[in-house]
């Protein structure tokens, strides 16, 4: 008589190895899911901050008085956010054209430190010009144009 043992099922070691592999995969997938949720939260906060900066920049561009722009302004961004902006205005060598150094600071109870955004751009603002400066810059531009015309006429 021979004893034929037919195995059916898994050994304890095989079950433990399969369980360990399953647990490692569950941990990896859980961490990936948490990272995705964190990324969505950061993207949402970034979009809100970008909108606050856009609103402040629009307020700056809509302001006709240079003194008001240089002083800046402050507004409530909602959900406890406070947005403060100001600008440094520098004239260029073109009449009514200014270089604007825009700074926007956003504070919130949920932020560990204020978020500061700085931008530099140029704006054409006749209302920011002093009439004497504008007249001088226009006269200088006219002189340069006349000199260029003379040079071109001499080259022909």
């Amino acid at each position: 008589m021979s004893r034929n043992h037919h195995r059916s099922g898994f050994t304890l070691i095989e079950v433990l190895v399969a369980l360990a592999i399953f647990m490692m995969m569950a941990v990896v997938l859980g961490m990936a899911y948490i990272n995705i949720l964190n990324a969505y939260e950061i993207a949402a906060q970034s979009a809100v901050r970008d909108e606050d900066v856009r609103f402040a920049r629009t307020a700056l561009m809509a302001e006709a008085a240079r003194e008001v722009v240089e002083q800046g302004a402050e507004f409530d961004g909602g959900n406890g956010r406070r947005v403060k902006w100001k600008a440094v205005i520098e004239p260029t060598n073109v009449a009514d054209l200014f270089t604007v150094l825009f700074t926007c600071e956003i504070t919130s109870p949920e932020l560990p430190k204020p978020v500061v955004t700085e931008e530099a751009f140029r704006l054409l603002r006749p209302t920011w010009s002093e009439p004497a400066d504008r007249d001088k810059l226009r006269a200088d531009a006219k002189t340069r144009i006349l000199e260029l015309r003379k040079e071109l006429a001499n080259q022909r």
Side-chain angles (χ1 to χ4, degrees), residues 17-122:
V17 168
L19 188 60
I21 291 171
F22 174 76
M23 291 303 292
M24 287 190 309
M25 292 303 295
V27 167
V28 168
L29 289 174
M31 288 173 54
Y33 181 69
I34 289 172
N35 285 339
I36 289 171
L37 290 178
N38 286 337
Y40 278 134
E41 180 66 26
I42 289 169
Q45 289 174 358
S46 177
V48 168
R49 283 194 299 267
D50 289 347
E51 187 158 330
D52 287 340
V53 170
R54 255 191 315 273
F55 185 81
R57 189 184 322 108
T58 302
L60 175 147
M61 290 181 180
E63 185 57 53
R66 180 176 177 168
E67 299 78 26
V68 174
V69 171
E70 288 176 328
Q71 181 182 356
E74 195 170 331
F75 62 90
D76 182 20
N79 294 333
R81 288 186 325 277
R82 198 78 189 139
V83 181
K84 185 190 311 184
W85 64 268
K86 63 180 178 177
V88 176
I89 300 171
E90 297 176 4
T92 63
N93 60 352
V94 176
D96 300 333
L97 185 66
F98 297 89
T99 299
V100 179
L101 303 170
F102 171 71
T103 304
C104 185
E105 180 180 297
I106 301 171
T107 56
S108 173
E110 60 195 32
L111 294 173
K113 62 180 184 173
V115 176
V116 178
T117 302
E118 294 180 345
E119 297 176 357
F121 49 89
R122 292 192 174 182

